[in-house]
């Protein structure tokens, strides 16, 4: 009995040791990324650095040790989304005095570039040779060039995994979808899955014709928690009402009721556009049909409507998959797994998963690290001085 117990305990220790060894390179990389290569002298910034470093690396270690991807990804992803809102709004108030952007700032192109508007910028650019977004190309916060570079890198590595591992807006959608343990609305008509592609087509064409990002002007629900145009006319007032209504419906109410990311899966034009990039990135999720028992659990839990009975028969997901790993985590038979395209379907699932986790997690930390630290600093300042403004 003693020998048996010691063997089990030794195996557990080896698992922890292996997980720590596999996580060690991530610890070094995240430290360099979060600290920018130097230890901050300001106590508040040092505290924020230490908390963020421990938090993100604990998440990565647990991903490896517990062999759960979405369970721990969601904790970091949702935290990042909340911290982004805290950081971004505080910075806007710090710079402008409010979340509203004035007509003067629009004319001076002082609007931070949002990744959602990328397809609405690229397509009109190809058709009309004009940058239609009122932002700066380089040298400012969230400039057009810097965001495009980040997008290109993430797209080549992850495809639509961008939406599962980098989109701060998607983290809000994701968070609300997890409030209830079971969905109240259990079925969404598959025809709705085509809506984001229709939104993409309409907004891209109207943006090219009108030389203005029409989705941003009329349909973006996230204006509610970021920045919005200063209300100076009836038109802008109507736009603001639409933003709030879409946020309450698509980002809060429907995700709560369906346990799905409805804004991301049923409306977002960037998500629709990014789906096509899944064709060129190296990672995918596959189904071992010899193990699969057709329980359809993966269809039930997929937050983005990317699993169907048809795709199950083909042994893969729809091309809209965000690679969050929720289907992999929830498969009772372990039939679903991360896979590297062009390699054997019978190769090591653990190796494929690790090869995916490193670029995916690094991308998330690249985007999230600064926002989490800034939010912690502002919260510390709020506690000590009563204000989040730095």
């Amino acid at each position: 009995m003693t020998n048996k117990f010691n063997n089990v305990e030794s195996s557990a220790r080896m698992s922890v040791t292996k997980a720590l060894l596999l996580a060690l390179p991530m610890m070094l990389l995240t430290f360099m990324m979060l600290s920018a290569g130097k230890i901050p002298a300001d106590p508040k910034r040092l505290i924020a650095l230490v908390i963020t470093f421990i938090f993100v690396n604990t998440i990565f270690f647990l991903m490896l040790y517990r062999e759960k991807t979405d369970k721990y990804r969601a904790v970091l992803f949702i935290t990042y989304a909340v911290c982004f809102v805290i950081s971004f709004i505080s910075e806007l108030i710090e710079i402008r005095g409010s979340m509203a952007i004035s007509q003067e700032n629009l004319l001076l192109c002082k609007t931070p570039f949002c990744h959602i508007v990328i397809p609405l910028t690229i397509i009109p650019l190809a058709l009309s040779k004009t940058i239609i977004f009122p932002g700066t190309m380089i040298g400012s916060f969230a400039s057009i060039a810097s965001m495009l570079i980040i997008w290109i890198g993430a797209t080549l590595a992850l495809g639509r995994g961008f939406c599962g591992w980098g989109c701060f807006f998607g983290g809000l959608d994701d968070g609300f979808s997890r409030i209830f343990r079971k969905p109240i609305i259990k079925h969404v008509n598959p025809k709705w899955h085509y809506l984001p592609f229709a939104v993409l087509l309409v907004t891209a064409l109207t943006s090219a014709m009108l030389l203005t990002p029409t989705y941003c002007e009329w349909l973006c629900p996230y204006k509610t928690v970021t920045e919005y145009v200063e209300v100076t006319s009836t038109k802008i007032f109507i736009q603001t009402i639409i933003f709030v209504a879409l946020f309450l419906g698509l980002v809060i109410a429907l995700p709560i009721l369906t346990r799905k990311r409805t804004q991301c899966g049923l409306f977002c034009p960037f998500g629709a556009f990014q789906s096509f990039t899944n064709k060129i990135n190296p990672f995918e999720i596959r189904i071992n049909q010899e193990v699969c028992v057709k329980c359809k659990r993966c269809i039930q839990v997929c937050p983005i409507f990317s699993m169907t009975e048809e795709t199950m028969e083909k042994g893969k997901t729809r091309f809209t998959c965000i690679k969050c790993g929720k289907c992999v985590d929830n498969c009772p038979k372990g039939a679903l797994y991360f896979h590297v395209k062009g390699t054997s379907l019978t190769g090591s699932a653990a190796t494929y998963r690790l090869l995916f986790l490193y670029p995916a997690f690094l991308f998330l930390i690249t985007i999230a690290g600064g926002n989490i630290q800034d939010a912690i600093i502002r919260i510390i300042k709020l506690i000590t001085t009563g204000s989040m403004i730095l």
Side-chain angles (χ1 to χ4, degrees), residues 270-323:
F270 176 79
F273 179 77
Q274 202 67 6
S275 295
F276 295 104
T277 69
N278 266 345
K279 301 291 185 179
I280 61 172
N281 88 103
F283 301 106
E284 62 183 350
I285 289 178
R286 299 297 297 251
I287 303 170
N288 184 339
Q289 294 179 305
E290 294 182 3
V291 177
C292 177
V293 294
K294 306 295 188 296
C295 68
K296 301 179 185 179
R297 177 65 178 162
C298 54
I299 297 176
Q300 296 168 10
V301 302
C302 178
I304 212 78
F305 309 98
S306 292
M307 292 294 302
T308 67
E309 292 185 37
E310 290 75 20
T311 60
M312 283 178 59
E313 293 301 322
K314 296 177 181 179
K316 59 174 113 176
T317 66
R318 291 180 69 216
F319 76 123
T320 55
C321 176
I322 62 173
K323 304 176 183 69

Side-chain angles (χ1 to χ4, degrees), residues 337-357:
Y337 60 97
F338 289 96
H339 179 248
V340 179
K341 295 176 183 177
T343 62
S344 172
L345 294 177
T346 59
S348 169
T351 300
Y352 292 148
R353 177 173 177 267
L354 186 63
L355 290 172
F356 169 76
L357 281 183

Side-chain angles (χ1 to χ4, degrees), residues 34 40 59 63 145 157 190:
L34 295 172
I59 291 291
M63 278 185 177

Side-chain angles (χ1 to χ4, degrees), residues 56-353:
V56 301
N57 283 288
T58 299
I59 291 291
F60 190 70
F61 168 77
L62 289 173
M63 278 185 177
L64 298 176
Y65 179 57
R66 298 293 186 185
E67 297 183 350
K68 295 292 183 181
T69 303
D70 176 72
K71 179 178 180 179
Y72 298 108
R73 177 206 63 88
V75 174
L76 178 54
F77 193 52
I78 295 166
T79 300
Y80 156 48
V82 173
C83 288
F84 170 81
V85 172
I86 293 172
S87 177
F88 191 79
I89 291 177
S90 298
E91 185 166 347
L92 289 179
I93 294 173
E94 184 177 306
I95 296 172
R96 301 175 185 162
S98 75
M99 291 168 60
I101 183 170
S102 67
Q103 294 296 329
E104 179 184 3
N105 283 335
L106 284 173
L107 292 173
L108 293 173
C109 294
K110 291 186 176 181
T111 306
F113 188 69
C114 172
H115 61 277
I116 291 179
V117 82
I118 286 175
L120 311 183
T121 303
I122 291 178
I123 296 174
L125 176 62
L127 296 175
S128 64
K129 305 298 187 291
T130 303
I131 297 288
I132 64 172
F133 190 83
T136 56
M137 281 301 297
I138 59 174
S140 66
F141 170 69
S143 66
I144 295 173
S146 64
M147 291 299 291
L148 286 175
I149 290 171
I150 292 172
W151 167 70
I152 290 171
T155 295
L156 292 174
L158 304 176
R160 201 184 172 182
F162 189 111
C163 302
W165 294 84
C167 179
F168 32 83
F169 297 136
L172 298 176
D173 209 1
D174 200 348
F176 285 112
S177 74
R178 295 171 189 267
I179 288 179
F180 290 160
R181 292 180 62 86
K182 295 183 179 180
I184 295 174
I185 299 176
K186 298 182 179 180
H187 177 73
V188 176
N189 192 314
K191 292 181 180 179
W192 286 107
H193 303 177
Y194 299 102
L195 179 59
F197 298 96
V199 174
L200 171 63
L201 179 62
V202 171
T203 54
L205 292 176
T206 54
S207 295
M209 288 187 295
L210 301 175
L211 297 182
T212 183
T214 52
Y215 179 82
C216 298
E217 286 195 353
W218 289 100
L219 298 174
C220 180
Y222 296 112
K223 295 284 188 183
T224 308
V225 291
T226 53
E227 62 179 355
Y228 50 85
V229 177
E230 186 177 18
V231 179
T232 57
S233 67
T234 302
K235 173 187 173 182
I236 297 175
F237 179 68
I238 293 172
Q239 290 171 330
T240 304
I241 291 175
I242 293 173
F243 297 148
V244 174
L246 289 173
F247 185 80
L248 294 175
L250 290 171
V251 182
I252 298 179
L254 284 175
I256 290 174
L257 295 174
T258 62
R259 282 186 57 82
K260 304 285 187 182
R261 288 175 56 173
T262 51
Q263 158 62 21
C264 303
L266 301 179
F267 198 71
C268 180
F270 176 79
F273 179 77
Q274 202 67 6
S275 295
F276 295 104
T277 69
N278 266 345
K279 301 291 185 179
I280 61 172
N281 88 103
F283 301 106
E284 62 183 350
I285 289 178
R286 299 297 297 251
I287 303 170
N288 184 339
Q289 294 179 305
E290 294 182 3
V291 177
C292 177
V293 294
K294 306 295 188 296
C295 68
K296 301 179 185 179
R297 177 65 178 162
C298 54
I299 297 176
Q300 296 168 10
V301 302
C302 178
I304 212 78
F305 309 98
S306 292
M307 292 294 302
T308 67
E309 292 185 37
E310 290 75 20
T311 60
M312 283 178 59
E313 293 301 322
K314 296 177 181 179
K316 59 174 113 176
T317 66
R318 291 180 69 216
F319 76 123
T320 55
C321 176
I322 62 173
K323 304 176 183 69
C324 64
K326 196 168 187 177
C327 57
V328 179
D329 283 3
N330 283 273
C331 179
K333 299 297 182 180
L336 287 100
Y337 60 97
F338 289 96
H339 179 248
V340 179
K341 295 176 183 177
T343 62
S344 172
L345 294 177
T346 59
S348 169
T351 300
Y352 292 148
R353 177 173 177 267

